[in-house]
Amino acid sequence: MCVDLGKKLAFAELVETALRPVLVSSSKKKLVMAELTVPWETRCKLAHERKRTKYAELADECGIKGWQAWIFPVEVGCQGFPSQSCWRMLGALGITGKSRKTTIKELGKEAERAFHWLWIHRGESS
C-alpha cells in the first residue's frame, strides 16, 4: 500500500502487527494507525475510546523506540453520520478544504449504503 496525500506525506511501507496494518515511513520514523468502526451513532464516543485504548500500548512502544506515532480511531455511524474523528484524522493527514468535505460526504454515503444493504439482507442466513 502506498499513500501520497497531495505530495505532503509519503508512506511506502505497510507493517502488520497483531492488531491491524500500520502505515509507516521508516526514513522519517513516523507511523499512522487508523481503524474505522461503524457503530450506532449513539455509540461513536464509546467506540472511539475503546479503539484508542486498544492502540495505546503500541503507540507507547513506538515512542520509546524513537518513532512518532499517531492513533486515529475513526467512526462513521451506521446511518451515515461521520463523527468528528473523521474530520480530525483527515486534517491531521493534510487533507483540508473541499477535499476533506467531499471525503467526509462520501464516507457518510458509503456507510449508509452498506447499512441499507445489511437491512435488506437481514433475514438471510448466510
Side-chain angles (χ1 to χ4, degrees), residues 14-78:
L14 184 66
V15 175
E16 292 202 32
T17 69
L19 296 172
R20 292 278 190 233
V22 177
L23 296 173
V24 177
S25 172
S26 293
S27 62
K28 295 183 181 183
K29 293 191 92 170
K30 296 182 180 186
L31 88 146
V32 176
M33 296 171 272
E35 185 169 349
L36 172 66
T37 307
V38 185
W40 286 103
E41 277 73 4
T42 57
R43 297 181 51 89
C44 283
K45 189 177 279 191
L46 180 65
H48 184 84
E49 289 307 316
R50 186 178 72 245
K51 297 295 179 162
R52 180 164 289 290
T53 301
K54 178 179 175 181
Y55 287 95
E57 186 179 336
L58 179 58
D60 291 342
E61 287 178 30
C62 291
I64 290 168
K65 293 181 180 181
W67 285 71
Q68 190 174 12
W70 291 280
I71 305 171
F72 291 115
V74 293
E75 304 77 35
V76 177
C78 64

